[in-house]
Amino acid sequence: MTVDLALIINQCEDYLFPTRSFSVRQRALYYHLFRHTHLEGKSSGLFSLLPLSNAIGVAESSVREDVRALHERGCLVIEDRSRNGHLLRVLLPSDIPGVVPETRPEVQIDIASMDFFSNRRFLSVLLAREDGRCFYCLKSIRAESCELDHVSCQANGKDNSIRNIVCSCHECNTTKQAQPAADFVRSLYRKGVLSQPELENRLSALEQLTAGNLLPDRALLQSAL
Ligand SMILES: [Zn+2]
């Protein structure tokens, strides 16, 4: 049996030792037991306390105490105890329930081919991308009142992709209609809704959007799938 040594050491340092409150002495004991079991292709081994204490450099009574403590914490199992020593089964971090966090396999996603309009499941993802504001007038909007808008209107072909769907307030959505988005934000500037820097910011955001550079947060998208 081969063991992935780097993985196991990482799991020991990152999860096992902190979650099971290993002392420095107990770490030394665990590594020593691991060395003489799993690295020799077995999960159990016979250990006498005196040689163990000499190997680790601590008192025999301390070794006895630590073996018992690690047994109680479910990190090793005392399978037998005799004049020949302790038969100890050493559990790897991944064998101990609740030590190594489970990682959900990441769903492969192809953002470019996804439909961001047909249902509202991705609304919160888009709203986070828009920093909680209407893409056009920059007014803060809440998820409940947020509307999804086609930047380039549907007459030009139904494009529900991330490059064409934005969050909008009700007013912008109803007044923009079929106007090109750049013309619409300029009209907002003329009405005093947007300042000059905000207009420039919106025109630049539009360019970024259509270039496919305004991408949602991948972790949020994963959780919405
Ligand atoms: Zn708006």
Side-chain angles (χ1 to χ4, degrees), residues 109-118 122-130 135-136 148-152 158-167 205-218 220-221:
I109 43 177
D110 176 13
I111 295 178
S113 67
M114 286 170 64
D115 183 333
F116 282 84
F117 185 78
S118 297
F122 300 121
L123 187 139
S124 59
V125 178
L126 290 175
L127 195 54
R129 181 189 68 173
E130 258 81 280
F135 184 81
Y136 302 111
L148 291 174
D149 184 61
H150 288 88
V151 169
S152 173
K158 229 175 192 176
D159 179 358
N160 294 346
S161 77
I162 191 73
R163 294 166 179 241
N164 198 41
I165 303 299
V166 293
C167 288
L206 260 174
E207 267 179 36
Q208 293 296 317
L209 180 85
T210 48
N213 295 333
L214 282 193
L215 294 175
D217 182 270
R218 280 196 92 88
L220 275 182
L221 190 57

Side-chain angles (χ1 to χ4, degrees), residues 134 137 169 172:
C134 169
C137 72
C169 68
C172 286

